[in-house]
Amino acid sequence: MTVATAGPKRANRLQATKRNNQMVTAYWEELFRAPEEGRLVCWYEGIQMNPILQAADVAWCHGEAMSALLAARNQEGPAQAVAEAQGYDRELCSYARTHIGCGVLTQQEHNPDDDLAPLPGEALPERNLGERVPVPDMIISAYPFCSTGQQWDDMLYRTFGKRVPIFNISMPWIWGNKSSAKYMAGPEFRDAVDFMVAQLRECVAFIEGRTGKRYDWDRLSELMGHIKQASELRLEAMALCRSRPSPASFFEWTNSIAPVNFLPAGPEIVEYFADKKAEIAQRLVDGVGSVPQERYRLYWDGIMNWNKIGWLADKFANYDACVVSGRYTHLGFWQEPQVIDLDDPLDGMAQNFLSCPISISAPQVIEKTIEHCRDYSIDGMILHGAHTCRAFSYPQFLIGEAVGRDLAIPSAMFEGDMVDESFYSDELVNSRVEAMLEQIDAQRARA
Ligand code: SF4
Protein backbone atom coordinates (compact mmCIF):
# COMPACT_ATOMS: atom_id res chain seq x y z
CA MET A 1 0.00 0.00 0.00
CA THR A 2 1.24 3.49 -0.82
CA VAL A 3 0.24 6.21 1.61
CA ALA A 4 1.21 9.70 0.43
CA THR A 5 3.84 11.26 2.67
CA ALA A 6 4.19 14.71 1.11
CA GLY A 7 1.77 16.14 3.64
CA PRO A 8 -1.71 15.49 4.94
CA LYS A 9 -4.37 15.52 2.26
CA ARG A 10 -7.71 16.95 3.24
CA ALA A 11 -11.19 15.96 2.18
CA ASN A 12 -12.91 18.41 -0.20
CA ARG A 13 -15.80 19.73 1.88
CA LEU A 14 -19.05 20.63 0.16
CA GLN A 15 -20.01 24.28 0.57
CA ALA A 16 -23.68 23.37 0.94
CA THR A 17 -22.99 21.39 4.11
CA LYS A 18 -21.99 24.57 5.94
CA ARG A 19 -25.64 25.68 5.99
CA ASN A 20 -26.44 22.59 8.05
CA ASN A 21 -24.58 24.07 11.02
CA GLN A 22 -26.49 27.34 10.71
CA MET A 23 -29.82 25.51 10.61
CA VAL A 24 -28.84 23.35 13.59
CA THR A 25 -27.82 26.39 15.65
CA ALA A 26 -31.04 28.23 14.74
CA TYR A 27 -33.12 25.19 15.74
CA TRP A 28 -31.49 24.86 19.18
CA GLU A 29 -31.81 28.58 19.88
CA GLU A 30 -35.50 28.33 19.00
CA LEU A 31 -35.87 25.40 21.39
CA PHE A 32 -34.10 27.26 24.19
CA ARG A 33 -36.58 30.16 23.73
CA ALA A 34 -39.67 27.93 23.54
CA PRO A 35 -40.91 28.36 27.15
CA GLU A 36 -40.57 32.15 26.94
CA GLU A 37 -42.66 32.03 23.80
CA GLY A 38 -45.35 30.00 25.50
CA ARG A 39 -44.67 26.75 23.64
CA LEU A 40 -44.78 23.35 25.27
CA VAL A 41 -41.63 21.21 25.05
CA CYS A 42 -41.42 17.46 24.42
CA TRP A 43 -38.35 15.32 24.99
CA TYR A 44 -38.05 12.14 22.95
CA GLU A 45 -35.47 9.75 21.53
CA GLY A 46 -35.32 7.41 18.59
CA ILE A 47 -37.70 7.75 15.66
CA GLN A 48 -38.60 11.03 13.99
CA MET A 49 -41.52 12.30 16.08
CA ASN A 50 -40.64 15.88 15.15
CA PRO A 51 -43.21 16.42 12.34
CA ILE A 52 -45.96 15.07 14.61
CA LEU A 53 -44.95 17.56 17.30
CA GLN A 54 -44.33 20.41 14.87
CA ALA A 55 -47.88 20.10 13.51
CA ALA A 56 -49.12 20.71 17.08
CA ASP A 57 -46.69 23.64 17.56
CA VAL A 58 -44.89 21.75 20.32
CA ALA A 59 -41.10 22.33 20.56
CA TRP A 60 -38.95 19.21 20.82
CA CYS A 61 -35.61 17.98 22.13
CA HIS A 62 -34.30 14.84 20.46
CA GLY A 63 -31.98 13.10 22.91
CA GLU A 64 -29.41 11.69 20.51
CA ALA A 65 -29.27 15.02 18.65
CA MET A 66 -28.57 16.88 21.89
CA SER A 67 -25.80 14.44 22.83
CA ALA A 68 -24.28 14.61 19.32
CA LEU A 69 -24.39 18.41 19.36
CA LEU A 70 -22.54 18.52 22.67
CA ALA A 71 -19.91 16.09 21.38
CA ALA A 72 -19.47 17.91 18.07
CA ARG A 73 -18.88 21.13 20.05
CA ASN A 74 -16.69 19.48 22.72
CA GLN A 75 -19.21 20.30 25.45
CA GLU A 76 -20.27 16.79 26.40
CA GLY A 77 -18.02 16.67 29.51
CA PRO A 78 -20.29 18.28 32.17
CA ALA A 79 -23.37 16.27 31.19
CA GLN A 80 -21.44 12.99 31.12
CA ALA A 81 -19.73 13.76 34.44
CA VAL A 82 -22.99 14.54 36.21
CA ALA A 83 -24.61 11.37 34.82
CA GLU A 84 -21.67 9.30 36.06
CA ALA A 85 -21.91 11.00 39.45
CA GLN A 86 -25.55 9.86 39.55
CA GLY A 87 -24.39 6.27 39.01
CA TYR A 88 -24.85 5.84 35.27
CA ASP A 89 -21.97 3.59 34.28
CA ARG A 90 -19.55 4.44 31.44
CA GLU A 91 -20.65 1.26 29.69
CA LEU A 92 -24.18 2.64 29.34
CA CYS A 93 -25.11 4.04 25.91
CA SER A 94 -23.20 7.32 25.73
CA TYR A 95 -26.12 9.07 24.01
CA ALA A 96 -28.38 8.11 26.91
CA ARG A 97 -25.75 8.90 29.54
CA THR A 98 -25.10 12.35 28.05
CA HIS A 99 -28.77 13.19 27.60
CA ILE A 100 -29.75 11.97 31.07
CA GLY A 101 -26.88 14.16 32.32
CA CYS A 102 -28.52 17.09 30.51
CA GLY A 103 -31.75 16.17 32.28
CA VAL A 104 -30.05 16.20 35.66
CA LEU A 105 -28.33 19.53 34.91
CA THR A 106 -31.57 21.04 33.65
CA GLN A 107 -33.48 19.81 36.67
CA GLN A 108 -30.82 21.12 39.04
CA GLU A 109 -31.31 24.56 37.52
CA HIS A 110 -34.93 24.60 38.55
CA ASN A 111 -36.71 24.58 41.83
CA PRO A 112 -38.42 21.22 41.82
CA ASP A 113 -41.31 22.69 43.81
CA ASP A 114 -42.15 25.60 41.53
CA ASP A 115 -43.93 23.79 38.75
CA LEU A 116 -40.66 23.35 36.82
CA ALA A 117 -40.53 27.03 35.83
CA PRO A 118 -37.61 27.99 33.58
CA LEU A 119 -34.73 30.17 34.74
CA PRO A 120 -34.84 33.87 33.81
CA GLY A 121 -33.78 34.39 30.19
CA GLU A 122 -30.81 36.63 31.06
CA ALA A 123 -29.09 33.72 32.82
CA LEU A 124 -29.06 31.62 29.68
CA PRO A 125 -26.07 32.86 27.61
CA GLU A 126 -23.47 31.94 30.24
CA ARG A 127 -24.74 28.44 30.71
CA ASN A 128 -23.36 25.32 29.11
CA LEU A 129 -25.41 24.05 26.18
CA GLY A 130 -26.36 20.93 28.13
CA GLU A 131 -28.11 23.01 30.79
CA ARG A 132 -30.01 25.25 28.41
CA VAL A 133 -32.54 22.71 27.20
CA PRO A 134 -35.92 23.61 28.68
CA VAL A 135 -37.51 21.09 30.99
CA PRO A 136 -40.04 18.88 29.23
CA ASP A 137 -43.79 19.30 29.45
CA MET A 138 -44.15 15.79 28.06
CA ILE A 139 -41.97 12.81 27.11
CA ILE A 140 -42.65 10.46 24.21
CA SER A 141 -40.81 7.16 24.22
CA ALA A 142 -40.66 5.41 20.84
CA TYR A 143 -37.44 3.48 20.48
CA PRO A 144 -36.87 0.75 17.91
CA PHE A 145 -35.43 -2.55 19.14
CA CYS A 146 -33.02 -1.32 21.82
CA SER A 147 -34.31 -1.58 25.38
CA THR A 148 -31.81 1.06 26.48
CA GLY A 149 -33.83 3.56 24.50
CA GLN A 150 -36.97 2.75 26.45
CA GLN A 151 -35.21 2.76 29.83
CA TRP A 152 -33.56 6.06 28.94
CA ASP A 153 -36.99 7.70 28.77
CA ASP A 154 -38.02 6.04 32.00
CA MET A 155 -34.92 7.44 33.71
CA LEU A 156 -35.74 10.92 32.40
CA TYR A 157 -39.27 10.51 33.71
CA ARG A 158 -37.80 9.76 37.15
CA THR A 159 -35.22 12.54 36.85
CA PHE A 160 -38.05 15.04 36.47
CA GLY A 161 -39.79 13.75 39.57
CA LYS A 162 -42.34 11.53 37.75
CA ARG A 163 -44.38 14.67 37.17
CA VAL A 164 -43.94 14.93 33.40
CA PRO A 165 -46.53 12.90 31.47
CA ILE A 166 -44.95 10.19 29.34
CA PHE A 167 -46.43 8.35 26.36
CA ASN A 168 -44.90 4.99 25.48
CA ILE A 169 -44.99 3.59 21.95
CA SER A 170 -44.05 -0.05 21.50
CA MET A 171 -42.11 -0.59 18.27
CA PRO A 172 -42.16 -4.16 16.99
CA TRP A 173 -38.93 -5.74 15.85
CA ILE A 174 -39.19 -7.14 12.32
CA TRP A 175 -37.97 -10.73 12.65
CA GLY A 176 -38.31 -11.47 8.92
CA ASN A 177 -37.83 -15.21 9.46
CA LYS A 178 -40.93 -16.46 7.64
CA SER A 179 -40.75 -17.23 3.94
CA SER A 180 -43.43 -14.57 3.33
CA ALA A 181 -41.25 -11.89 4.94
CA LYS A 182 -39.33 -9.55 2.67
CA TYR A 183 -37.88 -6.11 3.24
CA MET A 184 -40.95 -3.88 3.78
CA ALA A 185 -43.30 -6.61 2.57
CA GLY A 186 -45.27 -9.57 3.86
CA PRO A 187 -47.90 -10.02 6.61
CA GLU A 188 -45.46 -9.52 9.49
CA PHE A 189 -44.43 -6.10 8.21
CA ARG A 190 -48.02 -5.05 7.43
CA ASP A 191 -49.24 -6.09 10.90
CA ALA A 192 -46.39 -4.16 12.50
CA VAL A 193 -47.18 -1.05 10.44
CA ASP A 194 -50.88 -1.21 11.40
CA PHE A 195 -49.94 -1.66 15.07
CA MET A 196 -47.61 1.34 14.84
CA VAL A 197 -50.17 3.55 13.08
CA ALA A 198 -52.76 2.83 15.81
CA GLN A 199 -50.25 3.89 18.46
CA LEU A 200 -49.29 7.05 16.56
CA ARG A 201 -52.99 8.00 16.51
CA GLU A 202 -53.15 7.48 20.29
CA CYS A 203 -50.00 9.54 20.63
CA VAL A 204 -51.66 12.39 18.74
CA ALA A 205 -54.58 12.17 21.19
CA PHE A 206 -52.04 12.37 24.05
CA ILE A 207 -50.53 15.50 22.47
CA GLU A 208 -54.01 17.02 22.07
CA GLY A 209 -54.55 16.37 25.76
CA ARG A 210 -51.39 18.28 26.62
CA THR A 211 -51.93 21.23 24.28
CA GLY A 212 -55.69 21.45 24.75
CA LYS A 213 -55.99 22.06 21.01
CA ARG A 214 -57.37 20.02 18.18
CA TYR A 215 -54.58 18.39 16.18
CA ASP A 216 -53.82 19.93 12.78
CA TRP A 217 -53.72 16.96 10.41
CA ASP A 218 -53.49 19.21 7.34
CA ARG A 219 -50.36 20.76 8.79
CA LEU A 220 -48.85 17.30 9.30
CA SER A 221 -49.49 16.47 5.62
CA GLU A 222 -47.89 19.74 4.59
CA LEU A 223 -44.82 19.12 6.77
CA MET A 224 -44.49 15.57 5.48
CA GLY A 225 -44.57 16.99 1.95
CA HIS A 226 -41.40 18.95 2.75
CA ILE A 227 -39.79 15.91 4.36
CA LYS A 228 -40.68 13.68 1.43
CA GLN A 229 -39.26 16.13 -1.10
CA ALA A 230 -36.09 16.71 0.94
CA SER A 231 -35.58 12.96 1.35
CA GLU A 232 -36.04 12.28 -2.35
CA LEU A 233 -33.44 14.95 -3.18
CA ARG A 234 -31.09 13.49 -0.58
CA LEU A 235 -31.38 10.00 -2.09
CA GLU A 236 -30.91 11.35 -5.62
CA ALA A 237 -27.79 13.24 -4.51
CA MET A 238 -26.48 10.12 -2.78
CA ALA A 239 -27.03 8.10 -5.96
CA LEU A 240 -24.78 10.53 -7.88
CA CYS A 241 -21.96 9.31 -5.64
CA ARG A 242 -21.94 5.96 -7.42
CA SER A 243 -19.54 7.68 -9.86
CA ARG A 244 -15.77 7.49 -9.65
CA PRO A 245 -14.42 9.56 -8.04
CA SER A 246 -17.26 9.96 -5.62
CA PRO A 247 -18.14 13.67 -5.42
CA ALA A 248 -19.24 13.40 -1.76
CA SER A 249 -18.53 11.10 1.14
CA PHE A 250 -20.28 9.36 4.02
CA PHE A 251 -18.94 12.12 6.27
CA GLU A 252 -20.85 14.75 4.25
CA TRP A 253 -24.03 12.69 4.66
CA THR A 254 -23.37 12.30 8.37
CA ASN A 255 -23.06 16.06 8.57
CA SER A 256 -26.46 16.29 6.89
CA ILE A 257 -28.45 14.00 9.17
CA ALA A 258 -30.08 16.81 11.15
CA PRO A 259 -32.45 18.00 8.37
CA VAL A 260 -33.85 14.47 7.98
CA ASN A 261 -33.74 13.62 11.65
CA PHE A 262 -34.88 16.44 13.90
CA LEU A 263 -34.79 19.88 12.26
CA PRO A 264 -38.16 21.53 11.60
CA ALA A 265 -39.76 20.48 8.34
CA GLY A 266 -40.15 23.33 5.86
CA PRO A 267 -38.87 24.73 2.57
CA GLU A 268 -35.40 25.22 4.13
CA ILE A 269 -34.65 21.50 4.31
CA VAL A 270 -35.80 21.06 0.68
CA GLU A 271 -33.55 23.91 -0.46
CA TYR A 272 -30.69 22.48 1.55
CA PHE A 273 -30.74 19.13 -0.26
CA ALA A 274 -31.48 20.77 -3.64
CA ASP A 275 -28.34 22.90 -3.22
CA LYS A 276 -26.34 19.93 -2.08
CA LYS A 277 -27.46 17.87 -5.04
CA ALA A 278 -26.61 20.74 -7.45
CA GLU A 279 -23.13 21.10 -5.97
CA ILE A 280 -22.54 17.36 -6.24
CA ALA A 281 -23.78 17.36 -9.85
CA GLN A 282 -21.37 20.19 -10.66
CA ARG A 283 -18.51 18.22 -9.15
CA LEU A 284 -19.38 15.38 -11.50
CA VAL A 285 -19.13 17.78 -14.46
CA ASP A 286 -15.80 19.11 -13.15
CA GLY A 287 -14.45 15.68 -12.23
CA VAL A 288 -13.89 16.71 -8.59
CA GLY A 289 -13.85 13.96 -5.98
CA SER A 290 -14.53 14.12 -2.27
CA VAL A 291 -10.93 13.03 -1.67
CA PRO A 292 -8.10 14.45 -3.79
CA GLN A 293 -7.00 11.04 -5.16
CA GLU A 294 -9.60 8.31 -4.83
CA ARG A 295 -7.94 4.88 -4.89
CA TYR A 296 -10.23 3.01 -2.51
CA ARG A 297 -14.01 3.16 -2.08
CA LEU A 298 -15.16 2.18 1.40
CA TYR A 299 -18.43 1.55 3.22
CA TRP A 300 -18.91 2.56 6.88
CA ASP A 301 -21.03 0.25 8.98
CA GLY A 302 -21.88 1.74 12.37
CA ILE A 303 -23.01 4.92 14.02
CA MET A 304 -20.84 7.98 13.62
CA ASN A 305 -18.16 9.01 16.06
CA TRP A 306 -19.51 12.55 16.47
CA ASN A 307 -16.39 13.96 18.10
CA LYS A 308 -14.33 13.09 15.04
CA ILE A 309 -16.27 13.61 11.81
CA GLY A 310 -13.99 16.16 10.12
CA TRP A 311 -10.88 14.53 11.51
CA LEU A 312 -11.88 11.11 10.16
CA ALA A 313 -12.81 12.62 6.77
CA ASP A 314 -9.25 13.97 6.48
CA LYS A 315 -7.71 10.80 7.84
CA PHE A 316 -9.31 8.68 5.10
CA ALA A 317 -8.54 11.32 2.45
CA ASN A 318 -4.90 10.96 3.41
CA TYR A 319 -5.17 7.23 2.69
CA ASP A 320 -6.63 8.09 -0.76
CA ALA A 321 -9.74 6.34 0.50
CA CYS A 322 -13.23 7.73 0.06
CA VAL A 323 -15.77 6.41 2.53
CA VAL A 324 -18.57 6.60 -0.01
CA SER A 325 -21.56 5.41 1.95
CA GLY A 326 -22.77 3.67 5.09
CA ARG A 327 -25.58 1.88 6.89
CA TYR A 328 -26.27 4.76 9.28
CA THR A 329 -26.66 7.40 6.58
CA HIS A 330 -27.91 5.47 3.55
CA LEU A 331 -30.31 2.92 5.07
CA GLY A 332 -32.03 5.19 7.59
CA PHE A 333 -33.66 8.62 8.09
CA TRP A 334 -36.74 8.72 5.82
CA GLN A 335 -34.92 6.22 3.65
CA GLU A 336 -38.12 5.18 1.84
CA PRO A 337 -39.90 8.46 1.03
CA GLN A 338 -41.85 6.96 -1.87
CA VAL A 339 -44.24 5.17 0.52
CA ILE A 340 -45.35 8.38 2.23
CA ASP A 341 -48.88 9.25 1.08
CA LEU A 342 -49.48 12.89 1.92
CA ASP A 343 -53.24 12.29 2.22
CA ASP A 344 -52.59 9.72 4.96
CA PRO A 345 -48.99 10.19 6.12
CA LEU A 346 -49.00 8.01 9.26
CA ASP A 347 -48.83 4.73 7.35
CA GLY A 348 -45.78 5.77 5.31
CA MET A 349 -44.15 7.25 8.40
CA ALA A 350 -44.61 3.94 10.22
CA GLN A 351 -43.15 2.06 7.25
CA ASN A 352 -40.03 4.22 7.39
CA PHE A 353 -39.70 3.82 11.17
CA LEU A 354 -40.03 0.04 10.92
CA SER A 355 -37.58 -0.43 8.04
CA CYS A 356 -34.72 1.52 9.61
CA PRO A 357 -31.59 -0.61 10.13
CA ILE A 358 -32.14 -1.18 13.85
CA SER A 359 -35.77 -2.26 13.37
CA ILE A 360 -35.03 -5.09 10.95
CA SER A 361 -33.18 -8.32 11.63
CA ALA A 362 -29.65 -9.18 10.46
CA PRO A 363 -30.60 -11.12 7.27
CA GLN A 364 -32.48 -8.10 5.90
CA VAL A 365 -29.68 -5.72 6.92
CA ILE A 366 -27.17 -7.99 5.17
CA GLU A 367 -29.29 -8.21 2.03
CA LYS A 368 -29.57 -4.40 1.85
CA THR A 369 -25.85 -3.98 2.58
CA ILE A 370 -24.77 -6.35 -0.19
CA GLU A 371 -27.07 -4.64 -2.68
CA HIS A 372 -25.67 -1.31 -1.59
CA CYS A 373 -22.01 -2.36 -1.83
CA ARG A 374 -22.63 -3.52 -5.40
CA ASP A 375 -24.37 -0.28 -6.36
CA TYR A 376 -21.57 1.89 -4.98
CA SER A 377 -18.64 -0.28 -6.19
CA ILE A 378 -17.28 -0.71 -2.68
CA ASP A 379 -13.73 -2.08 -2.22
CA GLY A 380 -13.61 -2.38 1.57
CA MET A 381 -15.78 -2.16 4.65
CA ILE A 382 -15.21 -0.27 7.90
CA LEU A 383 -16.99 -1.89 10.83
CA HIS A 384 -17.12 0.81 13.50
CA GLY A 385 -18.30 -0.98 16.60
CA ALA A 386 -19.71 1.67 18.90
CA HIS A 387 -18.59 0.47 22.32
CA THR A 388 -21.76 1.59 24.08
CA CYS A 389 -24.28 0.79 21.31
CA ARG A 390 -24.51 -2.94 20.88
CA ALA A 391 -27.90 -2.54 19.21
CA PHE A 392 -26.22 -1.16 16.12
CA SER A 393 -23.04 -3.20 16.24
CA TYR A 394 -24.43 -6.68 17.04
CA PRO A 395 -24.69 -7.87 13.37
CA GLN A 396 -21.35 -6.44 12.26
CA PHE A 397 -19.35 -9.67 12.22
CA LEU A 398 -22.17 -11.27 10.23
CA ILE A 399 -22.16 -8.35 7.79
CA GLY A 400 -18.36 -8.48 7.42
CA GLU A 401 -18.48 -12.23 6.83
CA ALA A 402 -21.28 -11.91 4.25
CA VAL A 403 -19.64 -9.19 2.14
CA GLY A 404 -16.34 -11.09 2.30
CA ARG A 405 -18.00 -14.29 1.12
CA ASP A 406 -20.36 -12.87 -1.52
CA LEU A 407 -18.40 -9.88 -2.83
CA ALA A 408 -14.79 -10.61 -1.75
CA ILE A 409 -14.79 -7.30 0.15
CA PRO A 410 -12.33 -7.20 3.07
CA SER A 411 -13.29 -5.41 6.25
CA ALA A 412 -11.59 -3.59 9.13
CA MET A 413 -13.20 -3.71 12.56
CA PHE A 414 -12.38 -1.23 15.32
CA GLU A 415 -14.15 0.21 18.33
CA GLY A 416 -15.13 3.78 18.90
CA ASP A 417 -18.26 5.38 20.20
CA MET A 418 -20.96 7.90 19.38
CA VAL A 419 -20.12 10.62 21.90
CA ASP A 420 -17.47 9.19 24.25
CA GLU A 421 -14.14 9.46 22.48
CA SER A 422 -12.28 7.68 25.27
CA PHE A 423 -13.25 4.40 23.56
CA TYR A 424 -11.38 5.34 20.39
CA SER A 425 -7.75 4.34 19.78
CA ASP A 426 -6.07 5.99 16.82
CA GLU A 427 -3.20 3.48 16.68
CA LEU A 428 -5.64 0.59 16.47
CA VAL A 429 -7.65 2.31 13.74
CA ASN A 430 -4.49 2.99 11.72
CA SER A 431 -3.28 -0.58 11.89
CA ARG A 432 -6.68 -2.12 11.03
CA VAL A 433 -7.40 0.28 8.16
CA GLU A 434 -3.90 -0.06 6.70
CA ALA A 435 -4.13 -3.85 6.85
CA MET A 436 -7.43 -3.73 4.95
CA LEU A 437 -6.06 -1.37 2.28
CA GLU A 438 -3.06 -3.68 1.83
CA GLN A 439 -5.48 -6.55 1.35
CA ILE A 440 -7.31 -4.59 -1.37
CA ASP A 441 -3.97 -3.84 -3.06
CA ALA A 442 -3.04 -7.53 -2.93
CA GLN A 443 -6.38 -8.54 -4.46
CA ARG A 444 -5.86 -6.02 -7.26
CA ALA A 445 -2.35 -7.27 -7.91
CA ARG A 446 -3.66 -10.82 -8.26
CA ALA A 447 -6.55 -9.84 -10.56
S1 SF4 B 1 -27.55 1.76 22.74
FE1 SF4 B 1 -27.68 2.43 20.58
S2 SF4 B 1 -29.73 1.91 19.88
FE2 SF4 B 1 -29.73 1.79 22.13
S3 SF4 B 1 -30.41 3.80 22.84
FE3 SF4 B 1 -28.20 3.92 22.70
S4 SF4 B 1 -27.72 4.67 20.63
FE4 SF4 B 1 -29.86 3.99 20.65
Side-chain angles (χ1 to χ4, degrees), residues 302-324:
I303 302 189
M304 192 50 213
N305 204 315
W306 288 101
N307 319 68
K308 294 187 171 299
I309 300 178
W311 190 84
L312 282 166
D314 290 337
K315 180 185 196 63
F316 282 94
N318 205 40
Y319 279 125
D320 295 335
C322 181
V323 183
V324 182

Side-chain angles (χ1 to χ4, degrees), residues 64 93 95-96 143 146 148-149 152 303 358 388-392 418:
E64 295 95 319
C93 165
Y95 274 155
Y143 218 98
C146 175
T148 301
W152 171 357
I303 302 189
I358 60 167
T388 66
C389 176
R390 293 309 180 197
F392 211 94
M418 300 84 77

Side-chain angles (χ1 to χ4, degrees), residues 44-60:
Y44 72 101
E45 281 74 58
I47 60 171
Q48 293 94 336
M49 294 300 296
N50 51 306
I52 292 180
L53 293 162
Q54 190 179 348
D57 196 27
V58 172
W60 59 91

Side-chain angles (χ1 to χ4, degrees), residues 54-343:
Q54 190 179 348
D57 196 27
V58 172
W60 59 91
C61 173
H62 183 247
E64 295 95 319
M66 186 72 222
S67 300
L69 176 79
L70 291 176
R73 299 194 180 172
N74 295 317
Q75 293 197 32
E76 74 279 23
Q80 291 181 357
V82 79
E84 280 183 49
Q86 294 278 319
Y88 294 99
D89 193 88
R90 268 185 78 236
E91 296 294 315
L92 173 69
C93 165
S94 59
Y95 274 155
R97 185 160 33 103
T98 308
H99 191 223
I100 291 170
C102 290
V104 173
L105 286 170
T106 302
Q107 177 68 338
Q108 283 175 352
E109 290 288 334
H110 298 75
N111 180 345
D113 300 322
D114 74 353
D115 201 26
L116 304 177
L119 278 176
E122 62 271 18
L124 296 179
E126 291 76 45
R127 291 162 59 200
N128 177 285
L129 268 179
E131 301 165 54
R132 293 184 62 195
V133 186
V135 290
D137 299 290
M138 65 185 96
I139 298 171
I140 294 176
S141 179
Y143 218 98
F145 175 51
C146 175
S147 59
T148 301
Q150 293 137 29
Q151 290 164 20
W152 171 357
D153 290 305
D154 193 44
M155 288 304 118
L156 286 173
Y157 175 68
R158 288 161 189 264
T159 299
F160 290 107
K162 300 185 185 176
R163 286 180 288 162
V164 178
I166 181 167
F167 187 86
N168 290 294
I169 293 177
S170 168
M171 286 193 64
W173 163 255
I174 305 297
W175 290 90
N177 56 342
K178 295 202 173 123
S179 56
S180 60
K182 302 281 178 284
Y183 175 70
M184 293 184 77
E188 183 198 9
F189 188 74
R190 182 29 61 191
D191 287 350
V193 170
D194 291 345
F195 179 56
M196 191 74 200
V197 168
Q199 293 180 85
L200 291 174
R201 287 197 192 285
E202 285 176 32
C203 183
V204 165
F206 165 79
I207 294 169
E208 283 180 324
R210 298 302 300 151
T211 61
K213 290 185 201 149
R214 199 174 169 149
Y215 193 73
D216 191 341
W217 289 101
D218 291 339
R219 178 88 174 121
L220 179 64
S221 293
E222 184 191 347
L223 296 172
M224 288 310 299
H226 296 304
I227 286 175
K228 182 170 176 162
Q229 211 184 337
S231 303
E232 286 167 349
L233 286 163
R234 184 177 85 113
L235 294 179
E236 287 161 15
M238 283 174 160
L240 295 177
C241 299
R242 292 173 183 171
S243 303
R244 285 179 191 268
S246 176
S249 74
F250 164 81
F251 302 107
E252 296 282 0
W253 301 117
T254 303
N255 261 332
S256 302
I257 285 295
V260 280
N261 188 21
F262 65 92
L263 289 187
E268 300 78 17
I269 63 170
V270 178
E271 281 165 28
Y272 175 75
F273 285 110
D275 288 352
K276 193 153 185 152
K277 183 182 166 193
E279 190 178 351
I280 287 172
Q282 188 58 46
R283 279 192 173 185
L284 283 182
V285 173
D286 300 339
V288 174
S290 177
V291 301
Q293 288 171 282
E294 180 186 295
R295 293 185 59 226
Y296 310 98
R297 294 169 68 84
L298 308 180
Y299 179 93
W300 182 285
D301 189 275
I303 302 189
M304 192 50 213
N305 204 315
W306 288 101
N307 319 68
K308 294 187 171 299
I309 300 178
W311 190 84
L312 282 166
D314 290 337
K315 180 185 196 63
F316 282 94
N318 205 40
Y319 279 125
D320 295 335
C322 181
V323 183
V324 182
S325 59
R327 170 155 60 117
Y328 178 67
T329 46
H330 288 60
L331 302 186
F333 303 101
W334 303 117
Q335 68 283 4
E336 304 288 355
Q338 75 286 355
V339 300
I340 298 169
D341 174 358
L342 299 183
D343 291 330

